[in-house]
Amino acid sequence: MRFRIRPVDTSFYDLFTESANHLVRGVSLLAEMLSDTADREDVARRMRDAEHAADESTHEIVKKVNSTFVTPFDREDIYALGSGLDDVMDSMDEVVDQIFVYGVNILPPELSDQVTVLQRCAELTAAAMPKLRSMKELSEYWIEINRLENQGDKNHRRILAKLFSGEYDAMEVLKLKDIVESLEDAIDGFEKVANTVEQIAVKES
């Protein structure tokens, strides 16, 4: 058991929770972007705003760790967690931007399976961040995120198989492959966040 002085200030935990809540907002916009009736320009604008807000939260985490003498856990882990959360948001923003900029008219319905995985990952991550205060009941989080990432990998392979089945013309395949890969990056990003949380919990136990 490690003993260390912990600051009374809980702002680190609040900032991590805030960052994770940005991801919930981001995946909601991503799901909206996949809708046939979406105003894609408007969704892309709101996603950019959400991504900028997430960046601000990340900057606050960095400022906080740089100005705090005693941090709740190792500084490198704080940087890694903050950066990991930000990377997921960047990947989701990239998906929305690609759909808008590429002007893809027809999206494979299977993409919604990946968005469903992302929605669940975002919800679990937002629920897990406040638990960093006590480091309790976190193992279920990273186990479930790992399961979801495996499901995302299976979905990814099925979607790629469909893209290369001849159903889509070559130019559309190139555009859609970029979008599919960015979705995969976002799911992988959630797994990296969960792995960081596991490392923190192990160190603090």
Side-chain angles (χ1 to χ4, degrees), residues 139-182:
S139 62
E140 292 181 4
Y141 162 64
W142 62 69
I143 290 170
E144 180 61 10
I145 291 291
N146 182 260
R147 187 194 69 79
L148 288 165
E149 194 274 335
N150 288 336
Q151 181 60 54
D153 282 346
K154 292 177 182 177
N155 293 343
H156 181 68
R157 290 191 291 270
R158 286 198 292 268
I159 295 168
L160 287 180
K162 182 170 183 177
L163 288 186
F164 292 108
S165 67
E167 182 177 339
Y168 300 90
D169 68 44
M171 187 59 68
E172 289 299 300
V173 169
L174 290 175
K175 295 176 182 179
L176 290 170
K177 187 173 184 297
D178 276 354
I179 294 167
V180 170
E181 295 297 341
S182 294

Side-chain angles (χ1 to χ4, degrees), residues 2-200:
R2 293 180 60 185
F3 294 94
R4 66 194 303 177
I5 299 171
R6 292 184 181 275
V8 176
D9 185 358
T10 62
S11 58
F12 278 108
Y13 308 114
D14 295 336
L15 286 168
F16 286 133
T17 300
E18 182 179 285
S19 290
N21 284 332
H22 287 309
L23 301 183
V24 175
R25 170 64 173 160
V27 76
S28 174
L29 289 167
L30 177 52
E32 186 178 345
M33 193 65 163
L34 265 60
S35 169
D36 293 335
T37 59
D39 181 340
R40 290 183 173 177
E41 184 174 3
D42 179 63
V43 176
R45 177 188 58 77
R46 285 185 281 133
M47 187 63 162
R48 285 194 296 272
D49 290 343
E51 194 274 333
H52 291 156
D55 280 345
E56 287 301 314
S57 294
T58 303
H59 295 156
E60 285 300 315
I61 291 170
V62 173
K63 284 169 56 179
K64 187 68 180 175
V65 75
N66 288 338
S67 62
T68 302
F69 181 68
V70 180
T71 55
F73 41 88
D74 290 345
R75 292 172 188 273
E76 59 268 27
D77 291 327
I78 293 174
Y79 287 127
L81 184 53
S83 175
L85 291 165
D86 189 58
D87 287 346
V88 175
M89 191 68 175
D90 287 345
S91 293
M92 292 194 294
D93 176 51
E94 188 171 278
V95 174
V96 168
D97 191 54
Q98 286 169 332
I99 293 172
F100 175 58
V101 173
Y102 289 174
V104 180
N105 293 319
I106 300 177
L107 293 167
E110 291 82 3
L111 293 187
S112 63
D113 294 336
Q114 293 295 64
V115 174
T116 297
V117 170
L118 284 169
Q119 286 173 323
R120 185 60 181 147
C121 286
E123 291 166 358
L124 288 168
T125 301
M129 291 301 103
K131 296 177 182 177
L132 289 170
R133 285 183 171 89
S134 64
M135 296 293 172
K136 295 178 180 178
E137 300 177 355
L138 281 167
S139 62
E140 292 181 4
Y141 162 64
W142 62 69
I143 290 170
E144 180 61 10
I145 291 291
N146 182 260
R147 187 194 69 79
L148 288 165
E149 194 274 335
N150 288 336
Q151 181 60 54
D153 282 346
K154 292 177 182 177
N155 293 343
H156 181 68
R157 290 191 291 270
R158 286 198 292 268
I159 295 168
L160 287 180
K162 182 170 183 177
L163 288 186
F164 292 108
S165 67
E167 182 177 339
Y168 300 90
D169 68 44
M171 187 59 68
E172 289 299 300
V173 169
L174 290 175
K175 295 176 182 179
L176 290 170
K177 187 173 184 297
D178 276 354
I179 294 167
V180 170
E181 295 297 341
S182 294
L183 282 168
E184 173 76 355
D185 288 344
I187 294 172
D188 287 346
F190 273 115
E191 185 182 38
K192 289 177 183 176
V193 168
N195 288 343
T196 301
V197 170
E198 181 178 9
Q199 290 168 13
I200 292 168

